[in-house]
Every structure is written in structure tokens, then in C-alpha cells.
Amino acid sequence: MSQVLMAHGGGGELTRQLLVERVLPRLANPLLNPLLDSAILERPSGRVCLTTDSFVVQPLFFPGGDIGRLAVCGTVNDLTCLGARPLGLSLALILEEGLELETLERVIDSLARTAEEAGVPIITGDTKVIERQRGDGILINTTGIGVLPEGLDLRPARINAGDLVILTGVPAEHGLAILSVREGLGFETALASDAAPLNGLAAPLLALPGLRFMRDPTRGGVAGVLADLVEETGLSVEIEERALPLSPIVRHASEMLGLDPLNVANEGKLVIVIAPADASTALARLRAHPLGRHAAIIGQIKPSTPPLAELITAIGGRRIIQRPMAEATPRIC
Amino acid sequence: MKATLDALQRDAEGLGELRLMEVCGTHTVALFRTGVRDLLPSNVRLISGPGCPVCVTSQGYIDAAIEAAASGEVTLCTYGDMLRVPGQRGSLEALKARGARVVVCYSIRDALKYAQAHPKEQVMFLAVGFETTTPASALAVLEAARLGLERFTILSGHKLVMPAIEALLADPQADLHGFLLPGHVSVILGASPYRPLVDEHGLACVIAGFEPQQLIDGVARLVAQIKAGAPALENVYRAAVRPDGNPHARAITQQVFVAEDTEWRAMGVIPNSGLALRDEYAHFDAFKRFSLSLGADYDPPGCLCGQVIQGRVQPPQCPHFGKGCTLTQPIGPCMVSSEGTCAAWFKYARRA
Amino acid sequence: MCLAVPGQVKEVYGEGLERLAKVDFQGSRVEVSLAMVPDAQLDAWVLVHAGYAIEVLDEREARETWDYLKTAGLYDEIPPALEPKP
Ligand code: SF4
């Protein structure tokens, strides 16, 4: 038996075997091990944060990551952005009939490694099987629970004109890496996805009183977060193209595909807004972390009517930045 | 770069409004995206001409393509920008959502590959574009002939740049001082076809590439020519554009296509401005194979695209711009296409 | 959409109208047809449009293009971050 069968989702002996032999040993931890109907956590001090995300990725494996790694990073990072310390994740697997068990194991292995990297255990889970339907092989939902330290309030309402905008590293790597495995594009790149859990990177910033806001620029790219900022604060944002930490390879790959790197997805970056007084400290702490080596101050919040996100281009001209309309589609021509 | 900009500023001073036209969609986008437009002297006005291949395509062609896809007879292969252009029966994108076979290609080579992999399907490629894209279509036809791809066709909407420029200049209202000439079209054509613009029309002409320095150099040379009262044909994109262009590419085009009178959006039929397949390749001609004919040309109701592509109207002058017509809800092709003038203004310069 | 930067031919295969190449753009590659540039050899710098190489640039010219990019400040290594403004 090397493939997932409908019976693996039936709740009988096969289900138990699948879990006990293939899934659980890879995820073992004290909270999960009792395999109760629910995970039991001690009541934390502070407020509780809850977030959920579903993962549908094709192909399942790509340079720098896979659906398992994304499923941990996405949810951990959503908690991280609010300043919450993640306590645990639930894991719901929806498997397609016919999926190679070996593929499942690879995904779970990666998921387990990423959970360990983040220091966040999988504390409860569920597995179902759906009929073969040219689906995605594996769909994953993770829900994350976290605790928000007393007094921490990271909401756009606290942003002021004059605050600085930090990007924690080179943008667009995830989206470009995914495109390189898209069928029919004939695009190869040395780039790998940046998918990474960011709780460790963000943790040393939480004590800074000037920290106002963090968001991970996933599908809408950095441009999407800047557009959010403008909408949610009614203020303007001015970004300096020359300050963007763009690596030559990202620049060229984007240029080649006709994409604006600000519009391309990331899975391991944060856009941070911080008061000027704390910006140097924040930058130093970010750069001391392996995931923040290329962190840079890329711009500033401005008072302005009408509220706009603008880019000062490399040659000193101005243009506006908008949320991309749809998924960035390449144009090789 | 600073020095060029300063010189440009000095040269432009006191010259009154200078109306310069770019006729390449990539120039249009690059001028906005790099911020070059923002740095030009206030009396230098860049006007976008008929340089966006999707935008200049007559509505009759678009409706014929949509009709073909709707018939269920063909698998329609197309560059992505055509997907959302609205026609009488909705867009290709909408048809695709309802199950029509529409395949997005990055290159016509993708369409050939698709045809090879699906020998039972009638595969029709929407071949639009100017001189740079045409040789690729010609090569695909030659390749299809060699491979014996019986069911591969192209719907040629290919167009030539110079006849359209001539048509624009025939309008006595056209009040232009110079042309920023396209980079890649010129890589194929070379410089000589533009001669009449200088010799007969007395216009300043500069061929330029796409990087900020190229764009600024191009505009600076145009203004310097105008200031000196000495229109000339200059090439600041010498790294890529040879005086004679790429004769191989032109020969390939010649072998497969022949010039014909073609209808452009809102500009009417322009003599010898389009390319049709030669009789030897009639087998690959979708018009003939499927007895398609071009319907009437029209702009979507209220849309000024036809005026926009001729540089007579700037997007913000259209009452729909940014209101009824946005990137998410485009009304006309100039907002749909990534190289459309309305899309460029909307993306990079809509400040209200 | 025209692609401004030249790429370098890193692999050539096939013949005549079917002559293809892998063209490298500083770490990313695409497959393009060399049918329009029959003279293009390995390591040649080419301009690419819609899956086809349309012209060969000599090395000096190609580097000139790169110099343009440098003067635009666009193709440097990762820039030093702006220091916080007071
Ligand atoms: S703004 Fe929209 S409606 Fe107006 S001309 Fe442009 S595409 Fe047409």
C-alpha cells in the first residue's frame, strides 16, 4: 500500500494506522501525544489571539519550500504580525485519494521541521480523504492560537506621520520561485522561496515602544501592504526605490518577467512601521537575525491629502504604488 | 543623468509647448514606471500614440476572435493581454470561465507546442503585434508547415508602425513636434523607414531604448533638435538598433506575410498597414479556414480609446477614467492592456 | 512588452528554425528561439522578445547597456539602508 485510499479517511483502522505510522511520529510533542479530542492548554496571561489559514499550492514542492512549510509559516506569521506569541497550531489535512504516501510523509516531515524551527507545536489535528478529482493532492488548514503580551497594541490607528517603514529583506523571492515551477513558462531561476516563520525575527522588536505595525506582504506583495496602510490610516506612504533591498537576481528575474517586485508574493518578510526614535535599534536587531540581514528602512509615513502610496524612483521621479489588481501574471516577451 | 536633465531643462526653456509622441506601449509604461515623465520640463508634453498592440486592434477583430472561441470549434491561444478585452459577447476571459477552450501563451511557441500535444484540436492563435512580434508569427507558421500541423491557424491582426504614423500626420489637427521612436520595432526595421518623418514632415525623430537613461537621452535629443531647428533621425539605442535592422527577421516576415489594407481601432482602414498570410500559407489562415469576417469597428459605449490611441485625448479627459473605468472594471482596451495608455495613467499617475 | 536588458546565451540546441537557446539574465533563464539571429553563438549577448532572440549585441555594446543601468543606480548590489531621518 503506497497510496492514499478513501478508506484512510473512514475513521476505522486504516485511519488509525495512517496517523500512528505516518503522521504522528513526525509531529510528536507533549500537547499532541495524548491524542484527546481537543488539545488542552494552560491559561496564558494576556489576551488570546486566534487565526486560521488554508493552503492550496500547486505544485506541492517548489524551490525553497513546500505546502507543509507554508502551512506553518503562514499561520505563525499571521500571529506574529499582531505581536502574539504563538502557542500551538492545529493541523487539518485533506488528502486526495491516490496521493502517494511518500509524498504525504515528505510534506509532514517538512511541516514538522518548520514547526520545530518556529518553536510552535502542532497540538491537534484532523485528516480526511476526498475522492480522486484532479485536485491538489493535499489541502491543509492550520489554525494558530497565540497570546498577546499585556499592553502591546499593533494596529494601524497608532501610526503617525513621520514614522518609518522597514522591509525585513529582499522582496518577491517566493512569488518568483513559484513561477519557476509553473508549467509552460520555461523560466528557470536560482531563486528559492523565502518561506520562513517570522516569530523569532519579530520577537526582539516587541519591547520597543515605538513599534506601531507589522504585516507580512504575502499575495499582494509589498505594494499590497502599503495600500493597506494608506487605506487603514488615511495617511500617505513614500517609498524610496533606491532604498529597497533588491538583489540583482530578483531585479533581473522581475524585469525578465515584466513584473514589479513590489507586487510579487513573499512568505518570509515583514513590513514594519516604527517611530523614528526606535528605528535604528529595530534595524540593528533585525539585521542581527539571519532572516533580517537585508532589512532596510525603505520609506516614511507622510501627512498628505489625498492619501497615497508613492514611490520616489531611482532617478528621482515620482509615481504611485497600488495594490496589484490580480495575481501578478508574467509577460515573457 | 543629472547633466542630461539639466541640459534638457535649458534647451526646453522658452520653446513653448513641445508635443512629442511615443508610439510604443513599452515606452508608455516605462516613462511612467521609472518616473521619467515626472522629471521632464513642464513645457515638454509626452503624448502616447498608437503603440499598444491590443488597443489598436479593431473591435471587429476582437469580436471575430470571441465568436470563434464561443463556437466551440477551436481552441483559442492568445497573449494574456487580449483575454479581458470586452467584445459584443463578453470577453475571452468570461467565455473561458464558462468552459470555452482559451489558452494563455507567453510566446507563439507555446501555441505550437499546444497544437503538437493536441493534434485533434483546431488551434487558433490570435496573432497581434507590430514588427517585433510578426517574425515570431511567421516562424510559427513555417514551423507548423514543417511539422504538418494541419489544425494550426493564426488570426493575423499584425500591424505596421509607419503607416499608422503617416495616417496620424495626415490629420491637419495633428500638432506634433517629434517622435520618440520604438526600440524593438527599430531593432527589426532599422532606422531608414522613418526617413520621411524628417524629410517630408520636418519632425524631430529619435530611436530610444527602455531604460531611464535611454528615455531621458531620447527626449533630450528631440528637444535639442527642435531648439536647433534641425530635425534629424537620431538613434540613441545604438547598442541594439543597427542602421539596417535585422534583415533575417524581415526576410522571414516577407516569406510568410504580405501587406494589406487593414482597419485600426477608430482610425479606419489604413492602406498597406497590416499583414495577411500569403496564398502559399492560406492553409494556416484562420480567416479563410473558418470563413471569419471582420465585423464593424466601434468603441465600447462612452469609451474614448479610439481618441486616446491617436493622442487626441489624454486618459483623465475621459469621463469614465477612474470612475466607471478602472483596472478591475475596465471599459475599453486602453484600460485592459498592460501597455494601454489609460492603464498606465491609472496605475502610476492617478493622484485623486 | 519589450524587455530592456540583454541576456547571455548559455546553451544552444537544435538547428535552423528550430535552433533554441537557454538565455541567462543574471541568474534566471528562459528558453528562446534563435531563428531570427542565426549568427548567435554560445556566450553571445542577445535581446529577447516574446520567446525569440531578435538581435545580437556585441559584448562592448551589451556592457554599455549595463552601464546605462548602473548610472540609473538600478543595478547595484543591495543598497545600504537609508539611515533614519531625524
Ligand atoms: S478610461 Fe476607460 S472608457 Fe475612458 S478611454 Fe480609457 S479605456 Fe476607454
Side-chain angles (χ1 to χ4, degrees), chain A residues 191-316:
Chain A
L191 279 168
S193 166
D194 61 347
L198 297 169
N199 49 334
L201 176 68
L205 303 189
L206 299 179
L208 296 174
L211 181 66
R212 309 274 196 229
F213 170 91
M214 297 191 283
R215 191 162 289 171
D216 53 339
T218 52
R219 271 174 304 180
V222 173
V225 173
L226 297 175
D228 293 348
L229 272 176
V230 167
E231 276 159 30
E232 291 167 25
T233 62
L235 297 165
S236 285
V237 191
E238 205 173 272
I239 301 300
E240 299 255 4
E241 188 173 22
R242 278 177 181 271
L244 291 173
L246 287 173
S247 63
I249 182 165
V250 161
R251 237 184 242 292
H252 287 93
S254 313
E255 175 97 356
M256 200 177 92
L257 297 168
L259 298 175
D260 183 339
L262 292 180
N263 291 350
V264 181
N266 309 273
E267 290 291 345
K269 298 295 170 335
L270 290 169
V271 173
I272 295 169
V273 180
I274 192 154
D278 282 334
S280 303
T281 319
L283 205 56
R285 290 185 188 173
L286 289 168
R287 288 181 175 175
H289 192 282
L291 293 173
R293 279 196 321 271
H294 298 303
I297 293 172
I298 61 167
Q300 194 165 31
I301 307 291
K302 300 272 176 177
S304 155
T305 33
L308 276 182
E310 281 192 288
L311 182 79
I312 313 290
T313 67
I315 59 167

Side-chain angles (χ1 to χ4, degrees), chain B residues 303-305 308 318 320-321 325 331-332 335 342:
Chain B
C303 170
L304 300 180
C305 265
V308 169
C318 171
H320 296 303
F321 179 80
C325 182
I331 292 180
M335 187 63 89
C342 297

Side-chain angles (χ1 to χ4, degrees), chain B residues 299-309 313-326 329-336 341-343 346:
Chain B
D299 272 341
C303 170
L304 300 180
C305 265
Q307 302 302 306
V308 169
I309 60 168
V313 161
Q314 305 259 293
Q317 289 169 267
C318 171
H320 296 303
F321 179 80
K323 301 186 180 79
C325 182
T326 61
Q329 296 283 322
I331 292 180
C334 300
M335 187 63 89
V336 172
T341 309
C342 297
F346 189 89

Side-chain angles (χ1 to χ4, degrees), chain A residues 188 242 251-252 256 287 333, chain C residues 22 29 50 66 74 79 81:
Chain A
E188 301 161 17
R242 278 177 181 271
R251 237 184 242 292
H252 287 93
M256 200 177 92
R287 288 181 175 175
C333 36
Chain C
K22 289 261 158 75
R29 289 179 179 201
W66 290 106
L74 274 173

Side-chain angles (χ1 to χ4, degrees), chain B residues 110-132:
Chain B
D110 300 342
L112 269 186
K113 280 185 210 154
Y114 183 93
Q116 273 179 284
H118 302 83
K120 295 216 174 74
E121 293 177 29
Q122 293 283 353
V123 176
M124 182 194 296
F125 184 78
L126 298 187
V128 298
F130 297 106
E131 283 89 336
T132 328

